[in-house]
Amino acid sequence: MFQIGRSSECPIDFVVMDTIPGDKAGDCKVTQSTISRFACRFLVERNGTHTASVYAAGFDSSRNIFLGEKATKWQHNGEIDGLTTNGILILHPRGSFCGGSLPGVWREISVGGGVYALRESRSTPQKGTKIEDETNELQDGTLIDLCGATLLWRSSDGLNNSPTRKHLEEMIDELNAGRPQCPVGLNTLVIPRKSTISYNEKQPYVYLICGHVQGLHDWGQDKNSDGRTCPMCLKVGPIVKLCMGIEPAFYVDSGPPTFAFNPCGHMASEQTVK
């Protein structure tokens, strides 16, 4: 059993903090976390297939399931079950995660591992309808929403079919070896392995409306807004630094990094981004 939560007490194996999206992460501090102190626990079979299942809430230092005062609780056939205050949600992929899958439907998991339809809102006391034909067993690519941070579950078989960090870095080296050039400044661009705040004349930028990549220049800049006119197609929109997404567990294949996420500019393969 592995326990996950915001608490730093010894029964928690993985302490999870709230995720601040985008470039605000350095400036923002979470004053009141929405992640439960004892958010969820994984039970993994020791033998055979090593299947893993997720359950809401966790055991505290006194070996009791910890649920907040406002958490939803009920009794059925002599068994007590419940939901965490803000809920533990999962989304299984439809099809194989490796190779590109479609998203399934978000469901809520109870303390006993039951699968339920979502509540009207995250902290509504009334539980959703129980989904009898769905399971809390984790699949390769299952998302686990803790309300403040989201986890991606990967199986060992799935990771064996995913690229390694070394493979991703080699793809970047191969792209940079081609010496891509800015069509405006005519200078060579170098795709970085991670995003940096400092200015670099070789840093490529992507126009988020059209997808054209160039260096940083003043052509087409609107001083009254964040919009820039792309010299290639004359479409107006924001630009963002382009950099490689070096996180192998997120990749669904080993394709070339020909696409980027909008609005952050992280590059990955077409199937991974889609």
Side-chain angles (χ1 to χ4, degrees), residues 29-249:
K29 288 186 178 178
V30 178
T31 54
Q32 189 171 3
S33 176
T34 50
I35 300 174
S36 296
R37 290 174 58 206
F38 295 83
C40 67
R41 62 199 192 280
F42 297 149
L43 264 62
V44 185
E45 295 289 339
R46 289 182 182 273
N47 304 314
T49 57
H50 304 293
T51 55
S53 301
V54 61
Y55 298 81
F59 292 94
D60 60 16
S61 301
S62 57
R63 300 184 181 181
N64 293 316
I65 283 288
F66 184 90
L67 284 174
E69 292 181 8
K70 297 179 181 178
T72 301
K73 310 172 189 74
W74 66 89
Q75 190 167 345
H76 180 69
N77 294 336
E79 297 272 334
I80 295 176
D81 206 346
L83 307 170
T84 60
T85 304
N86 292 322
I88 299 300
L89 312 184
I90 66 168
L91 184 143
H92 294 310
R94 286 189 292 163
S96 173
F97 183 75
C98 287
S101 61
L102 295 172
V105 180
W106 283 103
R107 302 297 192 197
E108 183 163 7
I109 300 299
S110 74
V111 173
V115 181
Y116 292 83
L118 300 187
R119 292 179 261 180
E120 286 187 10
S121 70
R122 217 45 208 255
S123 56
T124 298
Q126 185 64 38
K127 69 178 186 293
T129 306
K130 188 169 186 181
I131 312 296
E132 298 289 353
D133 60 346
E134 294 187 21
T135 175
N136 63 332
E137 185 177 311
L138 296 169
Q139 304 170 20
D140 187 37
T142 295
L143 291 175
I144 304 155
D145 183 352
L146 306 180
C147 191
T150 302
L151 311 179
L152 171 66
W153 177 267
R154 294 302 311 272
S155 68
S156 57
D157 288 340
L159 288 174
N160 285 337
N161 292 320
S162 299
T164 62
R165 184 184 181 92
K166 183 172 181 289
H167 178 74
L168 297 178
E169 291 176 345
E170 284 173 352
M171 285 197 291
I172 283 299
D173 292 341
E174 191 176 326
L175 279 173
N176 287 330
R179 299 179 64 83
Q181 192 177 64
C182 173
V184 177
L186 301 180
N187 56 307
T188 300
L189 302 176
V190 177
I191 299 166
R193 294 181 180 181
K194 63 179 181 179
S195 182
T196 57
I197 299 173
S198 59
Y199 169 74
N200 185 344
E201 63 176 11
K202 295 182 178 181
Q203 168 70 54
Y205 287 76
V206 59
Y207 287 73
L208 294 180
I209 299 298
C210 59
H212 286 117
V213 176
Q214 297 163 35
L216 187 63
H217 52 74
D218 296 331
W219 196 96
Q221 184 175 1
D222 185 350
K223 295 181 180 179
N224 297 320
S225 70
D226 293 333
R228 288 173 180 258
T229 302
C230 173
M232 306 293 288
C233 64
L234 303 182
K235 289 182 179 178
V236 180
I239 65 169
V240 69
K241 288 181 180 179
L242 197 68
C243 70
M244 187 66 178
I246 303 284
E247 180 44 79

